[in-house]
Amino acid sequence: MVNKTTEDLRVRRTHKLLHNALFDLMGKHSFEQITVKQICDLAMVHRTTFYTHFQDKFDLLSCAVRQIAEEEFKNFAEVSLSPSDNFRELFSIAAKHKTLFSQLLFEERDSLRNLLRKDMGAGMKRYLVEHRSIEVDSIEIQIKIEAYIGAVLGVLNWWIKNNISMDEEDLYKKMNIFSEWDFAE
């Protein structure tokens, strides 16, 4: 008879092998190109075992991301961090898991969010170059544009997702902190 601890160790080992195989493959291929067969072959785990633990590759990815989040993001929930410390921690974690972050953040190249980000950024850059005489390739201005767009899209996402009972004009007025940002270098 197998005791509970041994069984848990086997499950954890299987998950770890599959997570590592998935991340290794994600470093070489886009997520949509990766197959369960490739994951199983690399992890040296039978497909039947895979399907005992996961419904599909999306379920595996979700489990792997949750595990990383539990390990890496615990400081966000347990410790009161300043906004700048939150940014520093997030960028540190992103650097540590760069392949995973790049796949998760950029996989959906044609998503509405990415299209809005691209178009808003191009429009803002064009405006700032024409009206503020700002250098086109300035890294500082690009960081400010990305921060602004990210904040606006984040608020938009929050407003829609949570069905906030505030009309768009009131929301716009409450977001006046963005208008105070100085885009001059």
Side-chain angles (χ1 to χ4, degrees), residues 21-85:
L22 176 63
F23 294 152
D24 188 43
L25 288 166
M26 286 174 70
K28 300 169 189 155
H29 310 283
S30 73
F31 180 73
E32 66 185 36
Q33 293 174 326
I34 297 170
T35 65
V36 170
K37 181 181 181 339
Q38 290 173 312
I39 297 166
C40 291
D41 288 348
L42 187 58
M44 293 188 289
V45 171
H46 197 278
R47 285 174 61 98
T48 309
T49 303
F50 177 92
Y51 287 111
T52 299
H53 296 272
F54 303 102
Q55 294 176 358
D56 52 28
K57 69 180 185 177
F58 298 97
D59 191 28
L60 171 63
L61 178 62
S62 177
C63 177
V65 169
R66 275 194 316 275
Q67 182 179 341
I68 289 172
E70 287 170 8
E71 293 169 5
E72 299 287 357
F73 293 112
K74 61 184 170 207
N75 283 343
F76 287 104
E78 294 175 358
V79 179
S80 176
L81 298 173
S82 70
S84 62
D85 287 339

Side-chain angles (χ1 to χ4, degrees), residues 13 22 24 27 32 36 39 41-42 58 64 69 81 100 108 115 124 138 140 155 158 166 173 179 181:
R13 180 181 175 279
L22 176 63
D24 188 43
E32 66 185 36
V36 170
I39 297 166
D41 288 348
L42 187 58
F58 298 97
L81 298 173
L100 176 63
E108 296 182 60
L115 292 172
M124 285 181 69
S138 164
E140 290 83 8
V155 170
W158 165 81
M166 178 186 304
K173 287 176 185 172
S179 64
W181 288 8

